[in-house]
Amino acid sequence: MKIVVLDGYTENPGDLSWGALEALGELTVYDRTPADKVVERIGDAEVVYTNKTPLNAHIIKNCPTIKFIGVLATGYNIIDMAATKAAGIVVSNIPSYGTDAVAQYAIALLLELCHHVGAHSDSVLAGEWAKHEDWCYWKYPLVELAGKTFGVIGFGRIGRRTAQIASAFGMEVLAYDEYSDQMEKTDFCRYVSMNELLGQADVISLHCPLTPSTEKLVNQSTISKMKAGVKIINTSRGALIDEQDLCNALDSGKISGAAVDVISEEPIRADNPLLHTKNIIITPHIAWAPKESRQRLMGIAVDNLKAFVDEKPINVVNQ
Ligand code: NAD
């Protein structure tokens, strides 16, 4: 069985082993694959792994030996699902591998907005403290979270874990989820309507998936319903936010700070307006990437192929 990994570098830049996949077949791993090389590199492989390399209908048609596609991620919008189904290809994803890592990162972004640890350390290392006339100084307003309200939009695995941590800081937690009426009650949060959450939260953290109904859910109209000085955290998907509207709200001060790990187009374009906006922290989509969660992802990717070979496929997303 020939196995091709089209873009293995971000999952395994060298600190993990592909050994468990290698044990299942003849494995070729590419760090990255440009669009015009995908068909050639897949060749006559039966198993293809992709993280973010798109597999469209043209590629599926021109690679008739493919039987199984493993997505090295949760999101699979890069694959033409109808084409895989028509071709009888099984597609499996990794539904959950980084809940704790992403929740921890959402809180890291929040703490960075509250304390600007990185900027203060940079200032000291650049010599500002050594020259200062006072024994301490701060360059941004410092914010205490206890007693403030944390609003979670999308109360699934990551949203729930993030909310638990926020609650441990003494924050009141409000949650909005499209399916909250079917969810179990928790002792650390209150389910509310979207409008109630927008109007009451001091911090809003986005944890819902990107779908046609959630695209640009943070926009001029929803921002107008938020509290003055609200903070926004986004570790979910960049397109949940209308980035120009966010820039305007950051410039006016309506939103006092935003910290985002995801952008509408990745890598970020040099002309993205967020790059030239005040009070924003942007990181390059790394919430998922601690070694522990990449290791877990690798294990599930291998289990997905083993299950397919045993004719009992798991985590199938194109049935
Ligand atoms: P999940 O499926 O467990 O939770 C998503 C929740 O959103 C569900 O409870 C669902 O009911 C809710 N939801 C769906 N549509 C909604 C809507 N219109 N309004 C409000 N809520 C809605 O998913 P998860 O594992 O918690 O992951 C959440 C998101 O995190 C993923 O969709 C992904 O985009 C993102 N993610 C980012 C990284 C990263 O590295 N930054 C890593 C993993 C996941």
Side-chain angles (χ1 to χ4, degrees):
M1 178 168 68
K2 284 191 185 171
I3 307 168
V4 172
V5 178
L6 291 171
D7 52 356
Y9 187 79
T10 52
E11 159 61 11
N12 179 12
D15 55 355
L16 299 178
S17 165
W18 293 107
L21 259 194
E22 218 156 16
L24 298 179
E26 189 188 321
L27 177 70
T28 308
V29 179
Y30 296 100
D31 281 349
R32 306 164 187 87
T33 296
D36 61 352
K37 288 266 186 306
V38 173
V39 171
E40 180 193 320
R41 287 188 175 177
I42 292 174
D44 58 355
E46 292 155 281
V47 175
V48 176
Y49 280 95
T50 174
N51 188 329
K52 296 285 176 286
T53 303
L55 297 176
N56 58 28
H58 169 80
I59 293 168
I60 303 295
K61 188 168 164 232
N62 284 284
C63 299
T65 55
I66 303 177
K67 304 235 165 352
F68 174 84
I69 295 173
V71 188
L72 292 170
T74 308
Y76 47 85
N77 52 311
I78 47 150
I79 298 172
D80 187 320
M81 285 297 153
T84 58
K85 214 171 165 186
I89 297 169
V90 171
V91 181
S92 289
N93 78 334
I94 320 282
S96 169
Y97 62 93
T99 300
D100 288 313
V102 180
Q104 177 183 317
Y105 198 81
I107 295 296
L109 290 177
L110 174 58
L111 294 179
E112 190 62 22
L113 282 179
C114 291
H115 303 292
H116 296 271
V117 172
H120 283 110
S121 175
D122 287 348
S123 146
V124 171
L125 295 175
E128 275 191 76
W129 199 13
K131 290 188 221 136
H132 215 279
E133 57 185 348
D134 296 315
W135 62 276
C136 80
Y137 66 100
W138 53 94
K139 299 172 76 74
Y140 300 86
L142 302 171
V143 178
E144 184 177 86
L145 290 171
K148 297 214 167 47
T149 301
F150 188 79
V152 177
I153 298 180
F155 204 58
R157 287 173 293 240
I158 298 171
R160 194 172 286 253
R161 188 79 192 99
T162 308
Q164 277 175 331
I165 306 172
S167 161
F169 287 150
M171 299 187 80
E172 188 193 346
V173 178
L174 303 179
Y176 169 74
D177 192 287
E178 199 171 27
Y179 305 103
S180 56
D181 55 334
Q182 298 157 32
M183 288 179 165
E184 62 184 85
K185 299 273 173 274
T186 68
D187 54 3
F188 60 88
C189 104
R190 197 157 57 83
Y191 294 115
V192 291
S193 68
M194 174 73 101
N195 279 342
E196 205 176 331
L197 185 146
L198 295 175
Q200 291 185 20
D202 298 295
V203 176
I204 296 176
S205 194
L206 305 179
H207 298 287
C208 55
L210 176 62
T211 63
S213 75
T214 59
E215 190 170 357
K216 296 193 177 176
L217 82 80
V218 173
N219 58 42
Q220 195 184 4
S221 161
T222 49
I223 290 170
S224 71
K225 297 175 184 168
M226 294 177 192
K227 261 179 151 172
V230 63
K231 297 184 194 309
I232 305 281
I233 310 290
N234 188 10
T235 53
S236 195
R237 284 292 176 265
L240 294 175
I241 294 180
D242 183 314
E243 289 169 345
Q244 188 56 60
D245 289 355
L246 176 61
C247 287
N248 297 344
L250 284 164
D251 282 340
S252 73
K254 167 81 191 209
I255 294 177
S256 65
V260 300
D261 184 48
V262 283
I263 288 289
S264 58
E265 197 179 330
E266 298 173 350
I268 194 166
R269 288 169 55 114
D271 62 354
N272 187 307
L274 288 175
L275 289 171
H276 310 288
T277 302
K278 63 180 185 179
N279 297 328
I280 187 144
I281 292 166
I282 308 174
T283 56
H285 203 146
I286 55 172
W288 69 285
K291 187 174 177 187
E292 293 85 348
S293 51
R294 286 184 293 107
Q295 182 80 65
R296 211 171 290 121
L297 191 157
M298 179 79 88
I300 300 168
V302 172
D303 290 346
N304 282 350
L305 180 54
K306 282 185 184 161
F308 170 76
V309 170
D310 291 344
E311 296 180 8
K312 291 180 192 131
I314 53 172
N315 298 324
V316 177
V317 287
N318 67 336
Q319 263 170 350

